[in-house]
Amino acid sequence: MKPTAEFYAEAEARIMRVLLAYKPKLLAAYGTVDPEIKDDATPVTQLDKELETLLRDELQQFDPAIGLEGEEHGKQGNNDTFWLIDPIDGTESFVRGLPFVRNMITLIDGGEPVFALIYKPISDELYTAHAGGGTLMNGQPQRVSNRPLSRAWIELSVPLQETSVFPLVQAVRNVTNGYRTYGDFTYVASGKVDGLLVYKSGGGPWDYAPRALLVREAGGRVANLGSTTYDYRNSNMLATNPVIFDDLMNVISATLA
């Protein structure tokens, strides 16, 4: 398909109508709800499941030819063009009352993320990006930083409890100004943090496709580790400002080799 600006605008309007209508329920449960623990040891709440159902219903009404794949309710329909849905990204933060909570919907077309909407209900920040159209936050253009490697902060999404990742973390620390684990990738798209490294982090494509598109459309570079290209089905990735990308990827690739 070749989505138009009108298509993206209508999709955004419909998605936000669902999210804003559901927001009072999210805020009422924020920091107070008890989660279930799934088989993969991650938390889920009834709100995750309920909100995903509402989003699926709205997106099916919008264009029934587009398929769906959600974290909580699986896949259906078109396998070439479909919506990836993460109803509450950061459920652990949500149940603890921490602000790193996002609603994320991404359109995949022909194997590529082409549209992403990330809404942060706690801070009321709406990020949108579409292929070739840039990244916006509440309507304002966002750009990655231009800091050099010696000044760079890198957001890590790696299992720090696993000793196997220690050499990688140390290598990143050795060549940068430091790493952070804020749990908020939007800081990279807005230039506050200089890159995102994801390695052995678990999760699904609904977690990482929107991260990649948001950073890329804000002027960043994105690729899977050890590669020059990006496949949204591979969660191991580097997304940074263009100043540091090549040097940092070389350090990472050498360490992992």
Side-chain angles (χ1 to χ4, degrees), residues 25-176:
K25 192 167 186 176
L26 282 181
L27 295 182
Y30 177 58
T32 65
V33 66
D34 290 325
E36 306 168 35
I37 303 301
K38 296 189 284 190
D39 291 342
D40 63 0
T42 61
V44 65
T45 70
Q46 187 58 38
L47 290 91
D48 293 80
K49 300 173 185 178
E50 192 171 83
L51 181 53
E52 182 175 317
T53 296
L54 293 171
L55 289 165
R56 294 170 80 103
D57 290 346
E58 183 66 35
L59 291 169
Q60 276 286 278
Q61 291 177 27
F62 173 44
D63 190 337
I66 299 177
L68 302 166
E69 182 175 353
E71 180 174 11
E72 309 307 336
H73 298 309
K75 297 180 69 172
Q76 71 180 71
N78 192 329
N79 286 318
D80 188 60
T81 303
F82 57 95
W83 298 102
L84 283 173
I85 304 170
D86 191 348
I88 304 177
D89 179 58
T91 302
E92 188 67 62
S93 290
F94 179 74
V95 301
R96 292 173 182 266
L98 295 170
F100 310 117
V101 179
R102 298 158 292 266
N103 314 124
M104 305 202 303
I105 298 89
T106 309
L107 181 63
I108 302 295
D109 184 44
E112 294 286 339
V114 297
F115 171 81
L117 183 153
I118 297 98
Y119 182 59
K120 299 166 74 171
I122 311 307
S123 56
D124 194 33
E125 295 175 343
L126 171 62
Y127 290 81
T128 56
H130 69 263
T135 294
L136 302 176
M137 191 278 281
N138 290 351
Q140 298 302 309
Q142 303 294 291
R143 295 295 296 178
V144 297
S145 73
N146 61 1
R147 296 183 190 90
L149 202 58
S150 61
R151 290 280 301 127
W153 281 1
I154 305 301
E155 169 74 11
L156 292 186
S157 181
V158 303
L160 292 172
Q161 74 279 8
E162 292 188 16
T163 56
S164 63
V165 307
F166 289 179
L168 178 60
V169 172
Q170 187 60 52
V172 170
R173 181 65 186 88
N174 286 345
V175 297
T176 66

Side-chain angles (χ1 to χ4, degrees), residues 16-32:
M16 287 307 298
R17 186 162 62 227
V18 173
L19 295 180
L20 292 177
Y22 200 77
K23 182 176 177 176
K25 192 167 186 176
L26 282 181
L27 295 182
Y30 177 58
T32 65

